[in-house]
Amino acid sequence: MKQQQRGAGLIALILVGGAVVMAAMVVMQIIPTLVEYESVTKAAKHAAEGSTVAEVRSLFDKAATIDDIHSIQSKDLVISKENDRVVVEFAYEREIHLAGPAWLVMRYSGSSR
C-alpha cells in the first residue's frame, strides 16, 4: 500500500519564491531612502546650530555634500525660532518605480527638535 505524500508542490514553491523575490526587490529600493532620511535628519540637527538663516543653510549644504544628500536642498528647509532656539524643518518625497505604471511614493518629513 503506497502512502500519499504531502507537501508543497513545485507550482506553490515557484509562486512563494517569486513573491519573496519581488518583496526583496522593493525592500532593497526602500533601504537607501531610509538611510538618506537619517542623513537629512542628522544634517538638519547639525544645521540648527547656526544662528542666522544663511548660516543654517550653509551648514546644511556642507552636511549634504558630505553625506551625499540629493533629495532636498537647503532652499527647501523651513527655518524658524522657538524660545531662542533655531528649528529646521523639512519635507520631501521619493518615488520608487515598481513596474509599468506602478510607483511607490515615500513621503518624509522631520525637524531638528
Side-chain angles (χ1 to χ4, degrees):
M1 215 190 291
K2 282 188 172 182
Q3 215 176 20
Q4 190 175 13
Q5 291 185 359
R6 296 180 180 209
L10 180 62
I11 303 275
L13 183 64
I14 290 172
L15 290 175
V16 169
V20 167
V21 166
M22 288 180 5
M25 288 175 56
V26 171
V27 168
M28 287 185 340
Q29 291 181 354
I30 290 174
I31 289 174
T33 67
L34 293 173
V35 170
E36 186 177 40
Y37 170 73
E38 290 299 320
S39 296
V40 171
T41 303
K42 185 176 82 172
K45 287 181 181 178
H46 176 69
E49 295 172 2
S51 56
T52 65
V53 173
E55 186 179 1
V56 168
R57 291 190 193 284
S58 174
L59 287 171
F60 184 85
D61 283 337
K62 288 177 185 176
T65 301
I66 292 169
D67 290 335
D68 199 29
I69 297 171
H70 297 289
S71 295
I72 190 169
Q73 297 175 352
S74 63
K75 66 179 180 172
D76 301 324
L77 301 174
V78 177
I79 303 166
S80 61
K81 276 200 170 191
E82 290 181 8
N83 301 328
D84 287 340
R85 189 171 160 216
V86 175
V87 176
V88 179
E89 296 176 316
F90 61 90
Y92 65 96
E93 290 183 355
R94 286 289 306 262
E95 294 179 345
I96 297 171
H97 182 248
L98 297 177
W103 291 79
L104 177 64
V105 178
M106 308 288 291
R107 290 189 177 127
Y108 294 107
S109 65
S111 71
S112 63
R113 291 179 218 194

